[in-house]
Amino acid sequence: MPDFERGARSVKQNRSRNALTRRDFIRLGAGAAATGATAKVTLLEPRAFRAATRAVPPSDTLRFASIGTGVRGCEDLKTALSCPGTEMVAVCDLYDGRLTAAQEVARKQLATTKDYRAVLDRKDVDFVIVATPDHWHAKIVEDACAAGKDVYCEKPMSHTVEEGFAMAGAAEKYNRIVQVGSQRRSGIVFAKAREIYASGALGQVTAIEAWIDRNDASGAWVYPVPPDASEQTIDWNRFLGSAPKRPFDAKRFFRWRCFRDYGEGLPGDLYVHLLTGILTITGVNAPPERALSTGGVFRWKDGRDAPDLIWTFYEYPDFRVAVRCNLNNESPADVTRIFGTKATLEVKGETLTVVPQNTRPQPEGYSIFGWPEKLRNEYLKEWRAQHPDPAPGNYSVVEEAQTFQAPPGYEDQIDHMNNFLESVRTRRPSAEDAVFGNHTAIACHMANYSYFNKAVAVWDEAAKQIK
Ligand SMILES: NC(=O)c1ccc[n+]([C@@H]2O[C@H](COP(=O)([O-])OP(=O)(O)OC[C@H]3O[C@@H](n4cnc5c(N)ncnc54)[C@H](O)[C@@H]3O)[C@@H](O)[C@H]2O)c1
């Protein structure tokens, strides 16, 4: 069902406690009530600076290297190359197959290495893209900043709370542009949602819910292991890095998200996107005050320690947030809902819908049924006298569901990468700097802390730690 239809239906469902009165008819408008189609659909304009719209002089070309060129690293380098004025010069990965894959995506022979420090030593590298598993982000980002490179670092920014602050500190100390790769931060749908939220059109917002669900092996990170995976083709010891030492295990290498040693499970994989969207819309740039999680490994019992269902309740000062990810059911897949006293805003994929609440004055319709009929009738008569219907000819539609949609083919990651490149060129702060990236990462760490410790995670702002 198209979103505008769903929006219109919600308006009507919200008022099911009262029969459709003449007043309701006025609100919806005669045509709307007859057809059920009240939503106005607006196509959002892509940003002006999008790829291929602007030529960059050769002297402004930015040269980059990718560190970590698995699934996301290859997507990121492709995105960077699709932006005007970029050139890729080197690639670093720990698996031979990925060094090959990166060059295939770049359509060019590149300098290759399994030691990222060799990339950082190159004078012709302006910035690096870091798309390794999460447990390597901090060390590489800090070393890159110290080497004078700007950094596009994939989300979640950090593997631990302490790392996040060290990364933000390195960006500041070496005066580097560090942008975290949560692309919702630059997306036009979330920018529109932010505008609507800031206008006050939603009224007072006290509750937010969001989820991303999946129901297949790939969604549960059960990725196939390439047939040539071995200690000859993979630098296993370097992969372990600061993680506990253990014998070669190709499943851990390719399915690292399942294990806390290398990733943050569902919070690091997916909460971070939901939280980036929520903080972008609401304008909050801080960790939550408290978090409480529940969940478990119910279905994908393959030795993983990361849960396949997790549900977390967050406390932010002005509102509460319920976030969940479920790898055991998908219906529907990716939703953020913001509940205000005047309207509900929903982002579902690339579609944003705002459905007004019924806020006009109404006579009491519930408790007066406990009154004697005479008093009840007098109350209703007086109420109607104080709230007369508009004169004929003055009826108007005062509330309407609205839908905004990104154009077909729109990709927020292109806007996010373009924002990063603009920051590198202009030295203006990035769209998702290390401070913001750290705040969403802390929220992910709090969700995991609560899940694994079976306790409420409390953010201690003074000590900069979870207690
Ligand atoms: N923004 C998004 O939408 C998005 C989507 C997917 C993944 N990600 C993030 O991107 C990162 C990578 O995820 P992925 O799915 O591509 O993982 P992946 O396993 O497909 O790729 C990771 C690559 O990093 C390499 N690597 C590991 N340690 C390294 C090191 N020390 N030096 C150089 N290379 C190293 C591995 O060899 C591997 O090829 C993660 O942080 C993930 O959360 C972001």
Side-chain angles (χ1 to χ4, degrees):
M1 178 189 303
D3 275 294
F4 60 85
E5 282 182 46
R6 196 163 38 78
R9 191 184 288 182
S10 302
V11 172
K12 286 199 264 175
Q13 281 167 347
N14 282 346
R15 56 190 69 225
S16 61
R17 66 193 162 95
N18 299 318
L20 192 73
T21 63
R22 184 162 151 251
R23 227 166 252 284
D24 293 308
F25 192 75
I26 295 163
R27 273 163 65 79
L28 286 170
T35 64
T38 60
K40 193 171 89 184
V41 182
T42 308
L43 209 58
L44 294 168
E45 290 265 340
R47 299 258 171 104
F49 59 52
R50 289 203 66 190
T53 59
R54 211 191 57 184
V56 173
S59 56
D60 273 5
T61 297
L62 296 172
R63 291 181 180 79
F64 73 95
S66 287
I67 302 173
T69 53
V71 182
R72 187 61 180 173
C74 281
E75 282 176 350
D76 283 341
L77 79 86
K78 189 172 171 201
T79 304
L81 287 172
S82 78
C83 297
T86 57
E87 183 188 345
M88 186 168 178
V89 294
V91 55
C92 169
D93 198 279
L94 305 185
Y95 165 45
D96 291 343
R98 259 114 190 221
L99 292 170
T100 304
Q103 294 178 88
E104 286 171 359
V105 174
R107 294 170 189 241
K108 140 179 204 196
Q109 260 204 327
L110 299 161
T112 63
T113 177
K114 288 186 178 168
D115 183 351
Y116 71 89
R117 290 167 301 186
V119 158
L120 300 184
D121 284 344
R122 291 178 68 108
K123 298 277 173 286
D124 61 349
V125 169
D126 299 307
F127 72 89
V128 289
I129 296 173
V130 179
T132 63
D134 311 340
H135 71 305
W136 264 107
H137 289 181
K139 176 84 178 115
I140 297 174
V141 170
E142 286 175 57
D143 287 351
C145 288
K149 311 300 183 196
D150 296 319
V151 187
Y152 184 97
C153 174
E154 267 305 339
K155 49 52 54 177
M157 186 171 110
S158 64
H159 190 46
T160 66
V161 167
E162 297 72 30
E163 282 180 3
F165 286 98
M167 295 164 86
E172 197 182 346
K173 178 177 173 188
Y174 296 105
N175 196 20
R176 292 293 95 203
I177 300 293
V178 172
Q179 181 168 304
V180 182
S182 313
Q183 55 274 19
R184 287 184 184 193
R185 190 75 180 147
S186 295
I188 56 175
V189 176
F190 283 88
K192 187 68 193 174
R194 163 88 192 120
E195 190 187 307
I196 292 166
Y197 184 97
S199 76
L202 305 185
Q204 184 185 6
V205 170
T206 53
I208 297 176
E209 66 178 4
W211 66 87
I212 297 177
D213 291 343
R214 298 166 170 172
N215 191 5
D216 58 85
S218 182
W221 316 310
V222 186
Y223 304 137
V225 171
D228 68 347
S230 74
E231 278 191 279
Q232 280 66 55
T233 57
I234 292 171
D235 188 338
W236 171 250
N237 278 328
R238 204 188 291 267
F239 167 78
L240 290 176
S242 58
K245 299 288 165 235
R246 56 174 71 239
F248 178 73
D249 183 340
K251 286 189 178 148
R252 279 186 170 253
F253 183 83
F254 288 99
R255 301 175 187 172
W256 56 266
R257 283 181 180 79
C258 303
F259 305 98
R260 294 175 76 197
D261 287 343
Y262 326 112
E264 287 69 50
L266 283 167
D269 195 18
L270 302 176
Y271 273 18
V272 68
H273 287 302
L274 298 171
L275 292 165
T276 297
I278 290 167
L279 296 199
T280 298
I281 294 170
T282 57
V284 171
N285 190 359
E289 294 175 330
R290 303 202 303 165
L292 175 65
S293 300
T294 186
V297 184
F298 291 100
R299 176 189 182 191
W300 302 97
K301 297 182 179 179
D302 50 8
R304 70 181 61 198
D305 40 46
D308 58 29
L309 169 73
I310 183 164
W311 225 300
T312 302
F313 295 95
Y314 287 110
E315 285 185 6
Y316 288 87
D318 295 335
F319 48 76
R320 306 294 179 255
V321 177
V323 181
R324 95 163 182 250
C325 289
N326 187 1
L327 299 181
N328 309 311
N329 176 277
E330 180 183 347
S331 167
D334 179 351
V335 174
T336 297
R337 281 199 193 123
I338 311 230
F339 300 99
T341 50
K342 292 186 186 164
T344 303
L345 182 153
E346 179 184 273
V347 179
K348 184 179 172 199
E350 298 298 345
T351 302
L352 160 59
T353 308
V354 182
V355 181
Q357 290 278 289
N358 185 349
T359 55
R360 79 196 155 88
Q362 302 215 37
E364 170 65 19
Y366 175 68
S367 67
I368 58 169
F369 285 104
W371 292 15
E373 190 178 353
K374 181 171 171 292
L375 293 185
R376 196 164 66 224
N377 288 341
E378 280 171 12
Y379 162 81
L380 289 172
K381 194 174 158 199
E382 190 179 327
W383 194 94
R384 286 194 188 107
Q386 285 171 6
H387 302 86
D389 281 346
N394 281 342
Y395 300 163
S396 62
V397 176
V398 291
E399 291 170 11
E400 201 179 18
Q402 279 191 304
T403 295
F404 301 89
Q405 214 140 19
Y410 172 75
E411 287 181 49
D412 51 8
Q413 63 196 28
I414 294 183
D415 277 348
H416 203 46
M417 187 61 78
N418 262 314
N419 273 336
F420 169 69
L421 298 173
E422 291 227 334
S423 292
V424 170
R425 289 197 174 96
T426 60
R427 311 315 291 172
R428 282 202 292 270
S430 77
E432 189 184 4
D433 64 13
V435 173
F436 181 90
N438 191 27
H439 290 155
T440 51
I442 288 170
C444 298
H445 299 319
M446 287 173 72
N448 279 328
Y449 177 101
S450 176
Y451 172 80
F452 286 107
N453 292 294
K454 297 189 189 312
V456 175
V458 179
W459 178 245
D460 183 338
E461 180 61 32
K464 305 253 178 282
Q465 61 187 30
I466 303 168
K467 61 179 188 191

